[in-house]
Amino acid sequence: MAVPADPAIDEDEEEHVGPTHHPYAPSHDEFFDLSTTVDPSYIISLIRKLLPLDSASVIEAASHGPNQGSLTHNTQEGAASSAPVSTDKNLKSSSKNKSENMDVDGSGEFSHRQGEYESGDDGDGFEHSSVSVGQNAWEEYGCILWDLAASKTHAELMVENLMLEVLLANLTVCKSERVTEISIGIIGNLACHEVPRKRIFSTDGLMGIILDKLFLDDPQCLCETCRLLTVGLQSGESITLAETLQSEHILRQILWIAENTLNLQLLEKSIGLILAILESQQKVVDILIPPMMKLGLANILINLLTFEISKLLDERIPERYSILELILRAIEALSVMDDHSQEVCSSKELFQLICNLVKFPDKVEVGNCCVTAAVLIANMLSDVADHASEISQDLCLLGGLLDIFPYASDDVEARNALWSVIARILIRIQTEMSPSSVYHYVSVLVKKIDLIEDELLNEQVDSGHEQERLSCPGSTADARKTSLRRIISILNQWTVAKENAENNMNAEGSVSETDLKRLLDCCHKFSK
C-alpha cells in the first residue's frame, strides 16, 4: 500500500529509505530476544499481509496508540518498544539477512505488487485500493496467526507489532464474515495471555466494534465473539468488560442469541458466556445480573433446560450433553445468589425438570449433569422447604440420587448435596408405614447397597478432617448420619413386619436377607 511521503525527507533521501508499501522485517539479532521456534520476522510478515487495502486507519491508530510503532512508515518511537516494530531506516539494512527466513512471494515482497488490484469491487468484502492480498490469501495468513496467537511469546510479539491495530482496521472496513471471524478469533487467542489482554482492553474502539459484531447473523462470528467475551470475563479485566457490556441492548442481544439460535456451537458458546457472567467476581455480578434478570434471564434458562431435557429423553444427541450441563450450572449459580435465588428456587416447573433428570435411567452419558442437578435440588430444598414434601414418596428419585454417587466421588460439595437431599426425603417418611410401603423403600435401598457402601468407604478414605466436619452443623457427615439412621429405622420396620405372620402374608415380595444384613451392618458402622 502506498503511504504518503514524510515531508521532512527529500526525494533523494527517500530513494535510500526503501519501499514503504512492503517493508522488510528487522534483523532478529538487532531487535529480538525471544525464545520461540517461529522466526519473529515471519510473524511480522504475516501481520503486514493482513493490512486492509485502505490502511489509513491502521496508520492513524499506530500514531496515537500505545506502541507508536508502524508496519508501514518510520517512527522513531517505534524502535524503542520492548519488541519493536521495524522502521524504514533499519529495514533496508536487514533485508538481505532476513528475506530467506520469511514467507515471501517470488519477488521477495510481503504483499502483492503495487497496482495488482485496481479500484473497484471484486466481491471479497474489501474495498479496493492499490495494494492488498486477496481474501483467500488473507484468510490463509489470518488462520496461521490465529494458531500462533495461542502462544504467549507469539501473542506478545504480535501486539507489540500492531496486530490489534491491523485487526481493528479490518473489522472496521471489511464486510467479509470469514475475515471478521478470523479477526475476532485471533483477538480471542491473544486475550488468553495477560499482556496482550490488557492491550486489547486499552485499544480505543476495539471492544466497541467487537460488541457490534454481536448483531451479525453469522454463527461463526458470533461464536468467536462470545468466546472472546467469556475469556475476558474470566480474567483480571472482567470489571472493565462488565462496564462495557452493561448497556441493555447488548445484554438483550446476548440473551436473544442464547434463546433463539439453532446452531449447537453458538448455543454452547452463548450459554458459556452467560455462565461466565454468573461465575465472575461479585462486582461483575452486581453490574450485569440485575439488568439480565429484568430481561428474563431466569425464564430463558428454564426454557432452555426444558428443551434440552426433552431432547435428552427423546433423541439422546451426544452433542447436546455439554449444553445441558452448562444450562444446569448457570441455573445452579443463580440459585445461590441472595438477591435472585427465590425466582429460581420457587419454580415448580424447574424443580420437576431436575427431578426428572435425576431419575433418568442411563446416567453414563449425563452423569455430570445429574450431579449438578442434585446440587440444584439441594439448593432449592434449602430455599423452599415445601419441595421436600413433594418428593418424599418418590422412590424413583431416591434411587436416582443414590445412582449419582459414583459420578460425584471427587466432588465433596456434590456429595454433601446428595446426602442432604436424601436426608430430607427420609426424615419425612412416616414412622408407621404399611408393609407394602416398607417393602418398596427397602427394595430400593437394598438394590443400591453397593453404591451406598462404596460411597461410605470413599468418604472414610477422604475424611482426613472428619472430626472437624463432624462438629459442623449441616456438614456432609451430619446429613449422612441422619440418612443412615433413617435407613436403619426403615430396615428394622421391615424386620418387624416379617416376624409378624399376619403382616408377612400381606408383604408384596421378598428381600435378600444377606443383602439386608450387610446394609444394616454398614449403616450401623458409619452412623456412629
Side-chain angles (χ1 to χ4, degrees):
M1 67 187 67
V3 180
D6 189 329
I9 303 176
D10 60 30
E11 292 182 1
D12 292 334
E13 290 175 331
E14 192 172 16
E15 291 178 359
H16 300 286
V17 171
T20 58
H21 61 282
H22 49 80
Y24 294 99
S27 168
H28 177 76
D29 294 335
E30 184 176 358
F31 285 102
F32 298 104
D33 183 19
L34 299 172
S35 175
T36 174
T37 57
V38 179
D39 194 325
S41 57
Y42 171 65
I43 295 175
I44 295 174
S45 75
L46 293 177
I47 296 174
R48 290 193 183 106
K49 291 176 181 179
L50 299 194
L51 284 166
L53 292 165
D54 180 5
S55 63
S57 57
V58 180
I59 298 171
E60 181 180 357
S63 63
H64 294 92
N67 297 337
Q68 300 216 350
S70 176
L71 293 167
T72 58
H73 64 295
N74 97 12
T75 61
Q76 186 173 359
E77 292 85 357
S81 62
S82 59
V85 294
S86 57
T87 62
D88 288 344
K89 183 179 293 185
N90 294 305
L91 294 175
K92 186 175 181 181
S93 64
S94 64
S95 61
K96 292 182 180 180
N97 294 332
K98 300 311 300 177
S99 61
E100 294 180 358
N101 295 328
M102 297 179 210
D103 181 17
V104 295
D105 60 21
S107 65
E109 296 179 353
F110 296 104
S111 58
H112 290 270
R113 293 181 180 86
Q114 183 172 2
E116 181 172 341
Y117 288 101
E118 302 297 335
S119 295
D121 184 8
D122 68 353
D124 64 4
F126 291 92
E127 295 179 2
H128 283 285
S129 69
S130 59
V131 182
S132 175
V133 296
Q135 181 171 327
N136 289 340
W138 195 104
E139 292 175 8
E140 178 183 350
Y141 304 141
C143 286
I144 295 172
L145 287 168
W146 193 348
D147 289 338
L148 291 175
S151 161
K152 178 183 176 182
T153 301
H154 300 152
E156 292 180 356
L157 173 66
M158 289 178 194
V159 297
E160 289 298 336
N161 286 277
L162 303 181
M163 180 82 263
L164 294 175
E165 288 77 6
V166 170
L167 294 175
L168 174 57
N170 279 286
L171 290 170
T172 301
V173 303
C174 178
K175 300 174 183 177
S176 163
E177 291 173 342
R178 178 60 175 157
V179 169
T180 299
E181 176 199 353
I182 294 171
S183 297
I184 300 176
I186 295 172
I187 297 171
N189 278 4
L190 293 174
C192 295
H193 315 288
E194 182 179 2
V195 172
R197 182 170 60 245
K198 289 181 180 297
R199 193 69 61 80
I200 289 170
F201 286 98
S202 64
T203 299
D204 289 342
L206 181 57
M207 287 309 302
I209 199 167
I210 288 173
L211 291 180
D212 286 343
K213 304 308 178 184
L214 285 170
F215 296 87
L216 294 175
D217 291 331
D218 181 69
Q220 295 308 313
C221 290
L222 292 173
C223 281
E224 290 308 314
T225 304
C226 289
R227 182 177 75 92
L228 169 58
L229 296 177
T230 299
V231 171
L233 286 165
Q234 294 170 337
S235 73
E237 308 301 319
S238 58
I239 296 176
T240 301
L241 180 54
E243 292 170 347
T244 306
L245 288 172
Q246 65 183 323
S247 63
E248 181 177 317
H249 80 286
I250 294 293
L251 296 177
R252 187 186 299 276
Q253 182 65 8
I254 291 171
L255 294 177
W256 187 90
I257 292 169
E259 187 176 23
N260 292 279
T261 183
L262 298 178
N263 183 286
L264 293 185
Q265 184 185 13
L266 178 55
L267 179 58
E268 183 171 355
K269 296 296 183 184
S270 59
I271 297 171
L273 173 56
I274 293 172
L275 178 61
I277 294 173
L278 289 163
E279 292 184 341
S280 192
Q281 59 177 296
Q282 189 59 45
K283 190 168 183 179
V284 173
V285 171
D286 292 340
I287 293 172
L288 298 180
I289 295 304
M292 293 180 77
M293 291 297 288
K294 290 180 181 178
L295 293 170
L297 172 61
N299 287 333
I300 289 171
L301 290 174
I302 293 172
N303 290 339
L304 288 170
L305 181 63
T306 301
F307 182 79
E308 292 303 322
I309 289 181
S310 69
K311 283 289 186 182
L312 174 66
L313 297 177
D314 294 341
E315 301 180 44
R316 302 194 184 187
I317 304 172
E319 292 77 12
R320 306 195 77 100
Y321 297 160
S322 59
I323 296 171
L324 175 60
E325 183 175 359
L326 286 172
I327 296 171
L328 286 163
R329 286 175 58 194
I331 297 174
E332 192 267 323
L334 200 56
S335 73
V336 295
M337 293 183 179
D338 292 338
D339 296 332
H340 309 293
S341 62
Q342 187 62 26
E343 186 170 347
V344 169
C345 294
S346 62
S347 172
K348 291 186 177 181
E349 177 188 1
L350 173 61
F351 190 72
Q352 189 59 53
L353 278 171
I354 57 177
C355 287
N356 288 342
L357 179 58
V358 168
K359 291 187 282 188
F360 185 67
D362 189 2
K363 290 184 173 59
V364 173
E365 299 171 320
V366 290
N368 290 336
C369 297
C370 292
V371 171
T372 307
V375 174
L376 184 51
I377 291 176
N379 293 345
M380 296 182 76
L381 291 177
S382 297
D383 232 40
V384 182
D386 290 345
H387 286 319
S389 300
E390 301 171 18
I391 59 175
S392 61
Q393 307 299 317
D394 195 334
L395 294 170
C396 289
L397 179 64
L398 177 60
L401 290 167
L402 294 169
D403 286 335
I404 295 173
F405 273 123
Y407 303 99
S409 58
D410 297 327
D411 189 336
V412 174
E413 179 188 356
R415 285 155 61 184
N416 187 3
L418 281 165
W419 282 119
S420 175
V421 176
I422 291 170
R424 288 175 182 273
I425 291 174
L426 295 179
I427 61 176
R428 281 169 173 77
I429 297 175
Q430 298 177 0
T431 304
E432 297 295 332
M433 291 186 291
S434 67
S436 176
S437 297
V438 176
Y439 165 75
H440 289 304
Y441 279 106
V442 171
S443 179
V444 170
L445 294 169
V446 169
K447 285 179 182 177
K448 308 297 181 182
I449 182 173
D450 289 334
L451 296 174
I452 296 172
E453 190 172 51
D454 287 346
E455 161 58 18
L456 294 173
L457 291 172
N458 185 36
E459 178 65 25
Q460 186 181 46
V461 170
D462 295 342
S463 60
H465 302 287
E466 180 67 17
Q467 292 304 317
E468 177 183 341
R469 290 206 301 270
L470 282 172
S471 63
C472 300
S475 66
T476 302
D478 197 29
R480 185 177 68 247
K481 283 202 301 182
T482 300
S483 299
L484 295 180
R485 288 169 180 172
R486 290 300 299 154
I487 292 174
I488 292 171
S489 176
I490 293 170
L491 296 179
N492 286 336
Q493 287 186 59
W494 174 249
T495 301
V496 171
K498 286 196 66 176
E499 291 175 352
N500 186 309
E502 180 178 353
N503 287 341
N504 190 43
M505 289 175 60
N506 295 327
E508 296 187 4
S510 60
V511 175
S512 167
E513 289 296 324
T514 302
D515 289 342
L516 187 143
K517 185 178 185 303
R518 177 181 158 201
L519 178 58
L520 195 59
D521 291 342
C522 183
C523 291
H524 276 297
K525 177 181 177 181
F526 288 96
S527 64
K528 296 178 181 179

